[in-house]
């Protein structure tokens, strides 16, 4: 086992593994403290970062943080590594990589070309050496474009997931929420429901209701009921209108087993989604969610800090060319991200790491009601993410998800972000908004739209 040491203010700090260096170098967060792996002081954190910046990138290919023999996520990361893409940066240290990423000469094309050569651990490591503005500056260089019924991720585009959750899965209540979101320009990334019940018949009914609404209004978007991947496979076999196949993923095999999944299961689902051929402008059929703290909450983090485990979850996602990936950044609770400052930092980290790994990254800008955060913190994070080039964010009626019991963005926040940044919806969706009178300042015929959704005018 390797040992590392650095001196800060005449005090020598020793770290007995690469994982220990990574954990101590992380910005302060509750989850790492709960796991007993965080730096004991700001001075120790500085010492760990000094060690980290001088480490060669190659070390992450040999000194793996989770044993290769024990973990299929590690095997995926190592076995899929692209040496040719890695070659231009192979001689760099973590500190060198930071400088290269921040250089004005390093553009989006350069970042895209090296992306297959970057491992999740490399991007997590370099993020630990960066200020918030650095994470934003680099991430905004990267465009990751995906498509299904519309095209997401292009320059100048900010998409949104319309999340019309209902505590009783009532179709009429869901339809009202969908109408509310559409009237404010939300829903181009996906109209996606977290079902209150995972019962197959219920999920089938919700999928059918969403697809009927989409077709009634001829909306160029995709729909999703965020049920377990095995349910989605069964629903596809039964002829349900499954656009996107959803699954939460984590950064270790053991944590994924806690979600009831394996990598082979995800590969099977990916092929089934492609075989359905429901996309019209593209073939990206997977939707993944991640979130810092999931591996720790499952006691499956292997002593690795939660942000690095999050990057490893993103490494899982990129193997299946998804349409959408988002971190539910503040959803798990204060045991993992204690307050608004930690949530803001984590959201910028997750977006940065995902973009460097070539993912179409979105963020659920959110928090639970027992976290030391409020909607002003979410305004700050969402504004920063819009400037950072986030592919999409999530919005719910009134910013309050009454089914899941947490706070996110409101549909009005999507309008605010686009107004203040000049960003627009996905191009096909933007054209639809114009066609139905929702983007030119005129009052739309909301009564006609409501009637087509089966609602009172």
């Amino acid at each position: 086992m390797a040992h590392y040491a650095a001196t800060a203010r005449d005090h020598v700090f020793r770290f007995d593994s690469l994982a220990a260096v990574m954990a101590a170098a992380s910005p302060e967060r509750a989850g790492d403290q709960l796991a007993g792996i965080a730096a004991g002081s700001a001075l120790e954190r500085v010492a760990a970062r000094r060690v980290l910046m001088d480490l060669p990138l190659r070390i992450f290919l040999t000194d793996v943080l989770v044993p290769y023999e024990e973990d299929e996520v590690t095997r995926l990361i190592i076995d899929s590594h692209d040496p040719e893409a890695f070659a231009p940066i192979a001689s760099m240290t973590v500190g060198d990589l930071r400088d290269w990423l921040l250089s004005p000469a390093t553009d989006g094309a350069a970042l895209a070309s090296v992306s297959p050569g970057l491992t999740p651990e490399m991007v997590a490591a370099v993020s630990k050496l960066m200020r918030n503005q650095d994470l934003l500056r680099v991430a905004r260089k990267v465009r990751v474009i995906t498509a299904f019924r519309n095209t997401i991720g292009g320059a100048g585009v900010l998409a949104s997931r319309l999340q019309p959750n209902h505590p009783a899965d009532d179709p009429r209540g869901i339809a009202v929420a969908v109408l509310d979101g559409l009237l404010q320009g939300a829903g181009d990334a996906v109209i996606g429901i977290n079902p209150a019940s995972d019962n197959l018949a219920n999920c089938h009914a919700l999928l059918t209701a969403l697809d009927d609404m989409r077709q009634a209004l001829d909306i160029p978007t995709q729909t999703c009921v965020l049920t377990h991947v095995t349910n989605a496979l069964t629903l596809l076999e039964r002829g349900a209108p499954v656009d996107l196949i959803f699954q939460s993923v984590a950064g270790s095999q053991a944590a994924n087993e806690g979600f009831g999944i394996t990598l082979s299961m995800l590969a099977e689902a990916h092929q089934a989604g492609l075989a359905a051929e429901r996309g019209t402008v593209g073939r990206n059929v997977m939707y993944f969610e991640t979130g810092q703290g999931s591996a720790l909450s499952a006691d499956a983090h292997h002593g690795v800090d939660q942000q690095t485990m999050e990057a490893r979850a993103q490494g899982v996602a990129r193997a299946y060319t998804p349409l959408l990936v988002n971190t539910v950044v503040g959803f798990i609770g204060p045991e993992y991200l204690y307050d608004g400052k930690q949530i803001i930092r984590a959201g910028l980290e997750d977006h940065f790491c995902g973009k460097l790994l070539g993912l179409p990254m979105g963020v659920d800008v959110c928090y639970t009601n027992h976290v030391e955060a409020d909607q002003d913190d979410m305004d700050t994070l969402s504004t920063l993410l819009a400037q950072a080039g986030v592919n999409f964010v999530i919005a719910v009626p009134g910013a309050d998800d009454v089914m899941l019991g947490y706070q996110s963005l409101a549909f009005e926040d999507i309008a605010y972000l686009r107004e203040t940044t000049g960003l627009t919806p996905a191009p096909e969706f933007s054209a639809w908004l114009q066609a139905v009178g929702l983007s030119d300042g005129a009052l739309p015929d909301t009564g006609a739209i409501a009637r087509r959704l089966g609602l009172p005018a």
Side-chain angles (χ1 to χ4, degrees):
M1 180 180 290
H3 294 270
Y4 307 89
T7 302
R9 292 188 180 174
D10 299 323
H11 187 94
V12 178
F13 292 92
R14 291 182 171 83
F15 308 96
D16 61 9
S17 67
L18 180 56
V21 174
M22 293 279 279
S26 292
E28 182 178 4
R29 64 201 57 201
D32 293 338
Q33 293 167 336
L34 178 66
I37 58 175
S41 65
L43 197 60
E44 183 179 5
R45 187 171 296 111
V46 169
R49 289 175 180 172
R50 292 188 62 177
V51 171
L52 191 59
M53 73 178 189
D54 290 330
L55 292 179
L57 292 177
R58 289 186 180 275
I59 198 170
F60 294 101
L61 300 175
T62 54
D63 190 357
V64 296
L65 302 185
V66 182
Y68 182 94
E69 298 77 14
E70 300 175 14
D71 188 88
E72 67 174 357
V73 174
T74 298
R75 293 194 290 274
L76 173 68
I77 291 167
I78 298 300
D79 295 349
S80 63
H81 180 255
D82 186 336
E84 186 176 342
F86 183 59
I89 58 172
S91 63
M92 291 185 184
T93 65
V94 178
D96 293 334
L97 178 62
R98 176 188 181 275
D99 293 342
W100 181 76
L101 292 172
L102 287 167
S103 169
T106 303
D107 60 12
L111 293 174
S113 70
V114 303
S115 180
L118 291 169
T119 69
E121 292 84 354
M122 292 175 192
V123 299
V126 76
S127 75
K128 299 176 193 300
L129 303 182
M130 291 183 153
R131 294 169 55 188
N132 286 0
Q133 67 168 259
D134 299 334
L135 299 173
L136 190 157
R137 287 174 62 199
V138 174
R140 69 179 282 115
K141 299 180 184 183
V142 183
R143 305 309 316 178
V144 181
I145 298 174
T146 56
F148 189 78
R149 287 199 189 91
N150 58 32
T151 308
I152 299 169
V157 171
L158 172 64
S160 62
R161 171 181 162 192
L162 196 168
Q163 183 169 299
N165 295 346
H166 191 280
D169 285 338
D170 178 65
R172 288 172 65 82
I174 289 168
V176 169
V178 170
L179 176 58
D180 187 14
L182 292 174
L183 291 173
Q184 299 182 73
D188 47 339
V190 64
I191 302 175
I193 299 173
N194 298 90
S197 168
D198 252 348
N199 175 279
L200 279 170
N202 181 61
C203 291
H204 197 152
L206 291 175
L207 282 165
T208 301
L210 286 180
D211 198 56
D212 287 348
M213 283 186 268
R214 179 188 65 79
Q215 293 192 63
L217 296 175
D218 196 24
I219 311 169
T221 191
Q222 34 285 330
T223 62
C224 185
V225 172
L226 283 69
T227 187
H228 193 270
V229 64
T230 54
N231 286 348
L233 283 168
T234 301
L235 289 163
L236 273 172
E237 292 170 358
R238 295 181 180 181
V242 177
D243 285 348
L244 304 184
I245 298 177
F246 168 82
Q247 184 55 51
S248 295
V249 294
S252 72
Q253 179 176 333
N256 282 325
E257 288 171 351
F259 285 139
I261 60 169
T262 62
L263 299 187
S264 62
M265 192 181 296
L266 296 179
E268 178 187 358
H270 183 216
Q271 291 305 311
L274 291 173
E277 296 186 333
R278 290 181 58 81
T280 56
V281 299
R283 286 170 53 82
N284 300 108
V285 299
M286 302 299 286
Y287 176 15
F288 294 113
E289 281 192 342
T290 65
Q292 288 195 29
S294 60
L296 175 57
S297 67
D299 194 24
H301 63 102
H302 297 269
V304 178
D305 67 275
Q306 68 180 43
Q307 188 253 331
T308 300
M309 291 303 291
E310 171 74 358
R312 283 170 55 91
Q314 295 174 339
V316 171
R318 76 168 168 178
Y320 308 101
T321 58
L323 179 78
L324 306 168
V325 179
N326 70 257
T327 168
V328 281
V329 65
F331 181 74
I332 300 182
E335 302 86 353
Y336 307 98
L337 295 170
Y338 177 73
D339 57 15
K341 180 176 182 179
Q342 292 188 14
I343 290 172
I344 290 167
R345 172 70 190 193
L348 294 175
E349 287 172 346
D350 295 350
H351 178 251
F352 163 89
C353 290
K355 281 293 188 64
L356 283 189
L357 291 172
L359 290 176
M361 278 305 297
V363 178
D364 190 354
V365 180
C366 64
Y367 64 102
T368 55
N369 289 313
H370 56 313
V371 171
E372 291 295 323
D374 57 29
Q375 215 63 31
D376 285 337
D377 295 313
M378 302 306 102
D379 288 348
T380 299
L381 177 54
S382 62
T383 303
L384 292 172
L385 287 167
Q387 293 295 331
V390 69
N391 278 35
F392 72 102
V393 291
I394 293 177
V396 305
D400 184 3
D401 191 309
V402 295
M403 195 281 281
L404 290 174
Y406 79 118
Q407 309 302 125
S408 186
L409 298 181
F411 301 136
E412 293 86 351
D413 295 323
I414 307 304
Y416 146 74
L417 291 170
R418 290 172 177 160
E419 176 188 335
T420 57
T421 60
L423 298 170
T424 64
E428 300 88 347
F429 191 83
S430 186
W432 176 81
L433 289 173
Q434 283 191 318
V436 297
L438 288 174
S439 63
D440 58 5
L443 291 175
D445 187 350
T446 55
I449 295 174
R451 284 190 294 273
R452 289 168 71 181
L453 292 179
L455 300 171

